[in-house]
């Protein structure tokens, strides 16, 4: 059987379960180290989704079946050495040598076809229609486990966040004795979600502290935690800069901390040598009046464009700064909250890999925008002195 026949039967005859392309034939020209292909249903129509992975990001592209057919064949033949195709009838492995020799291995099917409904029937970490104690207490679902229509976005957001944490489960980072600090926890939907994930789903002993400036919110969260017997989930009134923790902190969470409060939280995490940082920045004003590059003056003269550029530049610098401190950083698409359109999540994992390249990249990027020091550096130097 030829490649085009396998792909045609898989896509046109709706037999495809999943396809994985790996080992690019030309790494210098191909920025995607892996592509995962699967069918998805969007508004009752079936598409083929291509999820493309770089070292730090994932991009999604949905194509009609006819368009996906030739596109996938071209990727397999010209761009990747190893392809694994899982269908409802057979598994196929396609190996292509440096000289272009093709080898196709056929095996019995090993994967069941999953639901392709991309809109509503997604399999969540915390499932629908199964009562979840903290979601009931926080008004996201009723006692039968039905998610309230007005809270469905919140339900999806909690699960999206937990998926991003769960991605790290195979790396043996998540373990007993884990300590998490959530700066600016608010009503603590994600804080409760983390505790539930660690203790109820993963059976990992965890200590979580939620921190916020609003005393009434903290009292409410502490009351809910006590009612649910979440013994190692505590809430305290306090701000990011003044908070001190004497024990090892494994994970720092900061979602929508306003302006430079994000920088203060990231510095705390760095100084604590945290294993994982999960940060969704909010509004960013620091660099709006500072960034400049003569080659981009046609863009920077427009206030709206400059605002978005300064926001992206700020998050890029934060990510590069984390890399200079030994973190492997990914920027992931998150689900925005009601009060902010910001939907970039910075996920950083401590690796202690070589930092020289990151330091050069950080310095060059600042030079590109004619910047000297930024707030995260000031916070870091101040914290070091203390």
């Amino acid at each position: 059987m030829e490649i085009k026949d396998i792909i045609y039967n898989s896509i046109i005859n709706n037999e495809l379960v999943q396809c994985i392309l790996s080992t690019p034939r030309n790494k210098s020209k191909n920025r995607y180290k892996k592509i995962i292909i699967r069918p998805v249903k969007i508004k009752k129509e079936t598409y083929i989704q291509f999820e493309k992975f770089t070292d730090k990001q994932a991009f999604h592209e949905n194509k009609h079946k006819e368009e996906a057919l030739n596109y996938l064949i071209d990727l397999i033949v010209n761009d990747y050495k190893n392809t694994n195709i899982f269908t409802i009838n057979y598994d196929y492995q396609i190996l292509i040598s440096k000289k272009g020799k093709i080898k196709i291995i056929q095996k019995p099917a090993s994967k069941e076809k999953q639901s392709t409904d991309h809109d509503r029937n997604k399999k969540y970490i915390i499932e629908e229609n199964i009562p979840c104690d903290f979601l009931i207490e926080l008004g996201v679902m009723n006692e039968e486990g039905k998610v309230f229509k007005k809270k469905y976005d919140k339900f999806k957001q909690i699960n999206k966040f937990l998926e991003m944490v769960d991605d790290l489960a195979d790396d043996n980072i998540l373990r007993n004795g884990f300590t998490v600090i959530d700066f600016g926890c608010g009503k603590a939907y994600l804080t409760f979600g983390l505790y539930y994930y660690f203790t109820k789903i993963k059976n990992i002993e965890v200590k979580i502290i939620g921190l916020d400036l609003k005393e009434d919110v903290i009292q409410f969260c502490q009351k809910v935690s006590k009612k649910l017997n979440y013994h190692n989930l505590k809430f305290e009134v306090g701000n990011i800069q003044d908070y001190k923790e004497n024990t090892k902190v494994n994970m720092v969470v900061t979602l929508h901390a306003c302006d430079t409060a994000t920088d203060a939280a990231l510095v705390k995490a760095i100084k604590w040598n945290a294993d994982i940082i999960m940060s969704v920045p909010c509004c960013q004003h620091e660099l709006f009046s500072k960034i400049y590059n003569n080659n981009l003056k046609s863009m920077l003269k427009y206030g709206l464009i400059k605002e978005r550029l300064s926001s992206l530049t700020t998050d890029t610098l934060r990510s590069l700064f984390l890399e200079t401190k030994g973190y492997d950083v990914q920027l992931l698409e998150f689900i925005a909250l009601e009060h902010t359109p910001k939907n970039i999540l910075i996920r950083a994992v401590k690796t202690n890999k070589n930092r020289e390249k990151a330091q050069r990249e950080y310095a060059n990027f600042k030079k590109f925008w004619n910047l000297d020091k930024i707030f995260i550096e000031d916070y870091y130097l101040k914290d070091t002195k203390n």
Side-chain angles (χ1 to χ4, degrees):
M1 182 174 285
E2 295 185 0
I3 292 174
K4 64 180 181 180
D5 296 321
I6 296 172
I7 302 305
Y8 183 90
N9 291 335
S10 300
I11 292 179
I12 303 302
N13 296 338
N14 297 317
E15 296 177 1
L16 180 66
V17 177
Q18 187 184 59
C19 175
I20 302 173
L21 306 179
S22 59
T23 316
R25 298 179 70 178
N26 190 331
K27 293 182 180 179
S28 62
K29 292 183 179 180
N30 191 345
R31 61 186 296 222
Y32 303 115
K33 64 179 184 179
K34 180 174 69 173
I35 301 178
I36 297 177
I37 300 99
R38 60 174 69 86
V40 295
K41 187 172 287 186
I42 303 174
K43 296 180 180 179
K44 298 182 179 180
E45 186 174 357
T46 299
Y47 290 80
I48 304 300
Q49 182 181 87
F50 292 77
E51 187 175 14
K52 305 175 180 180
F53 295 86
T54 66
D55 286 333
K56 298 179 181 180
Q57 291 178 287
F59 300 89
H60 295 83
E61 185 177 9
N62 298 322
K63 294 180 178 292
H64 288 284
K65 289 196 287 185
E66 292 76 12
E67 182 186 8
L69 180 67
N70 293 325
Y71 182 60
L72 179 54
I73 292 172
D74 183 62
L75 286 173
I76 294 172
V77 173
N78 297 312
D79 293 342
Y80 290 88
K81 297 179 183 178
N82 187 27
T83 301
N84 287 281
I85 303 171
F86 304 93
T87 75
I88 58 175
N89 296 316
Y90 299 101
D91 291 352
Y92 300 94
Q93 184 177 21
I94 302 172
L95 301 169
I96 302 180
S97 68
K98 290 182 179 180
K99 295 181 178 181
K101 184 178 179 181
I102 299 173
K103 181 180 180 181
I104 299 175
I105 303 170
Q106 178 179 304
K107 297 180 180 179
S110 63
K111 291 192 176 187
E112 294 182 4
K113 194 170 181 66
Q114 303 294 317
S115 170
T116 59
D117 195 331
H118 190 63
D119 294 323
R120 188 79 173 185
N121 296 328
K122 179 178 177 179
K123 181 77 171 178
Y124 291 110
I125 288 180
I126 299 177
E127 298 182 49
E128 294 183 73
N129 301 314
I130 298 177
C132 174
D133 55 6
F134 82 90
L135 289 179
I136 294 171
E137 289 298 321
L138 296 181
V140 175
M141 63 169 51
N142 63 22
E143 293 185 356
E144 285 73 44
K146 181 177 176 57
V147 178
F148 295 115
K149 186 175 181 180
K150 290 184 178 180
K151 289 292 186 178
Y152 202 83
D153 284 344
K154 177 63 66 179
F155 176 76
K156 290 195 296 183
Q157 186 199 54
I158 294 167
N159 274 288
K160 180 67 174 178
F161 181 74
L162 296 181
E163 286 174 14
M164 293 177 175
V165 176
D166 193 57
D167 282 345
L168 306 174
D170 293 336
D171 297 333
N172 296 319
I173 301 175
L174 313 180
R175 56 192 179 275
N176 282 332
F178 218 71
T179 298
V180 181
I181 307 292
D182 185 353
F183 287 123
C185 63
K187 200 175 177 182
Y189 292 97
L190 301 185
T191 326
F192 280 102
L194 269 177
Y195 191 85
Y196 185 92
Y197 168 80
F198 276 107
T199 60
K200 302 293 180 67
I201 297 176
K202 289 296 184 180
N203 293 316
I204 294 174
E205 295 177 7
V206 66
K207 171 188 174 185
I208 300 182
I209 298 171
L211 191 73
D212 202 276
L213 291 171
K214 298 177 182 178
E215 189 171 347
D216 58 333
V217 171
I218 292 299
Q219 288 177 350
F220 168 80
C221 293
Q222 192 62 39
K223 182 179 178 181
V224 173
S225 179
K226 184 177 181 180
K227 180 178 179 179
L228 298 176
N229 294 314
Y230 285 11
H231 301 294
N232 287 320
L233 174 58
K234 309 295 182 185
F235 294 91
E236 300 178 14
V237 177
N239 63 40
I240 294 170
Q241 289 176 259
D242 296 334
Y243 186 81
K244 299 184 184 303
E245 176 61 36
N246 296 322
T247 59
K248 164 68 176 175
V249 177
N250 302 97
M251 180 176 179
V252 171
V253 177
T254 166
L255 271 70
H256 300 105
C258 190
D259 206 9
T260 57
T262 294
D263 301 291
L266 293 177
V267 166
K268 282 288 185 185
I270 293 169
K271 299 304 292 183
W272 285 334
N273 201 33
D275 300 306
I276 302 169
I277 302 170
M278 306 282 282
S279 176
V280 179
C282 188
C283 51
Q284 295 116 342
H285 307 300
E286 179 203 354
L287 299 187
F288 181 79
S289 61
K290 297 180 181 180
I291 60 171
Y292 182 74
N293 185 300
N294 191 55
N295 294 321
L296 299 177
K297 62 182 180 181
S298 296
M299 295 180 71
L300 295 171
K301 72 177 183 179
Y302 300 109
L304 179 61
I305 298 297
K306 186 176 182 180
E307 180 185 359
R308 293 182 181 178
L309 273 175
S310 65
S311 175
L312 293 171
T313 301
T314 302
D315 286 339
T316 302
L317 285 165
R318 285 166 171 161
S319 300
L320 292 173
F321 186 79
L322 285 167
E323 289 184 0
T324 69
K325 303 304 175 185
Y327 284 87
D328 184 25
V329 181
Q330 289 179 296
L331 297 182
L332 306 172
E333 188 176 25
F334 193 48
I335 299 174
L337 287 172
E338 307 84 44
H339 62 273
T340 175
K342 303 297 182 182
N343 67 337
I344 291 178
L345 183 142
I346 301 172
R347 184 175 70 185
V349 179
K350 190 73 172 182
T351 61
N352 287 315
K353 63 183 181 182
N354 191 297
R355 307 178 188 182
E356 292 181 6
K357 181 181 176 182
Q359 289 166 349
R360 288 195 301 270
E361 191 174 356
Y362 178 65
N364 289 337
F365 192 71
K366 285 199 300 179
K367 184 178 180 181
F368 177 87
W369 287 109
N370 287 286
L371 296 169
D372 184 18
K373 282 195 306 182
I374 60 172
F375 277 178
I376 194 168
E377 293 180 61
D378 290 329
Y379 281 131
Y380 185 78
L381 291 172
K382 181 179 178 182
D383 198 86
T384 302
K385 291 177 182 178
N386 293 335

